Amino acid sequence: MKEINTYLNFDGNCDAAMTFYSNCLGAELQMSTMGNSQPNVPENAKDRIMHARILKGGTILLMASDTMPGMPFLAGTNFSISIQCESSTEVDSVFAALAEGGETTMAPADAFWGARFGMLKDKFGIHWMLNYEFPKSA
């Protein structure tokens, strides 16, 4: 494993929250909206944040996104633990181990952003995200 981070979810205010946190932490903020990241996004979701991360000295401190409009949201339970894996095989094996007795939210699969990605809720109710970014071709 490369690293483990906290991944926060917001209901339309991810931009404001992550801007606040980056200022508090004196760190760099990177964000992309749903409208700039995916085709066929509903008009009321285009300005919502697809993915944001706060970095300091090359280290990711926090990651976050907005939910789609109308999706269930409960403040205080709006986080996951995100594992950046070193291979697709590691995604699959760690996912299988954590999913035992839990619920698969999104089975590991190759994602449009160039990664192998999966999400689950373990048997203790903790949400996990596993990601392996494919090497960029030169």
Side-chain angles (χ1 to χ4, degrees):
M1 274 171 244
K2 291 183 179 183
E3 58 189 32
I4 297 177
N5 302 99
T6 302
Y7 199 105
L8 306 173
N9 293 109
F10 296 93
D11 189 21
N13 60 346
C14 181
D15 186 345
M18 293 298 277
T19 298
F20 173 76
Y21 298 144
S22 67
N23 288 336
C24 290
L25 300 171
E28 174 190 359
L29 174 60
Q30 298 175 345
M31 287 191 289
S32 58
T33 63
M34 291 183 188
N36 288 334
S37 302
Q38 300 182 67
N40 306 319
V41 174
E43 194 61 39
N44 63 343
K46 287 188 176 190
D47 291 334
R48 287 188 174 227
I49 302 302
M50 163 100 180
H51 183 68
R53 64 184 188 171
I54 297 173
L55 301 110
K56 190 163 191 171
T59 299
I60 298 172
L61 303 179
L62 278 176
M63 294 189 292
S65 65
D66 279 316
T67 59
M68 290 295 283
M71 288 193 66
F73 177 84
L74 180 59
T77 63
N78 52 322
F79 73 93
S80 297
I81 298 171
S82 175
I83 300 176
Q84 300 302 315
C85 295
E86 295 192 63
S87 68
S88 292
T89 303
E90 185 177 41
V91 168
D92 295 347
S93 64
V94 173
F95 187 97
L98 287 168
E100 189 174 322
E103 299 173 33
T104 295
T105 307
M106 181 185 291
D110 294 351
F112 70 87
W113 60 86
R116 182 133 182 105
F117 180 77
M119 298 189 311
L120 65 101
K121 179 168 72 170
D122 72 19
K123 63 185 175 184
F124 301 104
I126 302 300
H127 293 266
W128 295 86
M129 300 165 55
L130 292 97
N131 190 72
Y132 165 67
E133 299 217 10
F134 301 129
K136 306 282 188 254
S137 55

